[in-house]
Amino acid sequence: MPALPWTRFASPAADQQLLVMATRLPLRRYRSIPGFLRRTNAIRHQLSRTEGLIGYGLDAKPLRKQFMTVSAWIDNEHLMRFVAAEPHRSTMRAVKPLMGETRFITWTATAADLPPTWSDVVRRLAEAPTSGDGTTAT
């Protein structure tokens, strides 16, 4: 499955500072992939109606059980509203036991810097320090 291209929902001024979030979501077992992809489609639908989202992309490598996301937001408040809303909230609880070492990172970028390249996302995720619980958040 190739990467889903960046989907833009808003076009802020080129110099506007935005919050960018990237995730690495590895699954432990192949049999978890169909359910994970169903939940991913529900979250994509949620994203399409979420206020404050500038754009997002998804890179799925099911043969490796690896999934990455990247999204840009007006600010952290809008991102946190999305995270707390359904179906994202219940999906996080449901898939947590299915996941390997997840990584979540944020950084700021201008609208002119969007979309980030997948090579930049991979580099940033690889460089992020991990916590004792197997997650990364910066």
Side-chain angles (χ1 to χ4, degrees):
M1 174 182 219
L4 293 177
W6 181 260
T7 302
R8 184 176 298 273
F9 289 91
S11 297
D15 62 346
Q16 183 174 343
Q17 288 290 311
L18 303 168
L19 178 69
V20 180
M21 179 175 194
T23 65
R24 183 176 64 113
L25 306 166
L27 292 171
R28 293 177 195 258
R29 295 177 176 83
Y30 287 105
R31 69 177 178 229
S32 301
I33 292 173
F36 182 82
L37 290 176
R38 277 191 302 279
R39 289 179 179 276
T40 298
N41 282 333
I43 290 173
R44 287 179 62 210
H45 180 70
Q46 177 190 1
L47 283 164
S48 72
R49 60 184 198 282
T50 298
E51 183 181 333
L53 174 66
I54 303 304
Y56 77 92
L58 168 71
D59 189 10
K61 296 185 176 14
L63 295 178
R64 294 186 194 164
K65 302 178 291 191
Q66 294 285 329
F67 301 85
M68 288 187 302
T69 69
V70 63
S71 55
W73 300 85
I74 291 173
D75 56 29
N76 192 60
E77 181 180 328
H78 284 88
L79 170 60
M80 290 299 104
R81 275 193 238 150
F82 162 74
V83 168
E86 291 298 334
H88 191 274
R89 182 179 61 209
S90 60
T91 294
M92 287 191 314
R93 282 193 300 261
V95 301
K96 187 174 182 176
L98 310 175
M99 306 301 291
E101 183 181 298
T102 58
R103 290 190 180 225
F104 305 86
I105 61 166
T106 60
W107 69 93
T108 57
T110 64
D113 295 327
L114 298 178
T117 64
W118 283 113
S119 60
D120 184 42
V121 170
V122 168
R123 179 187 58 78
R124 288 175 183 271
L125 286 165
E127 291 174 354
T130 58
S131 65
D133 67 358
T135 62
T136 302
T138 59

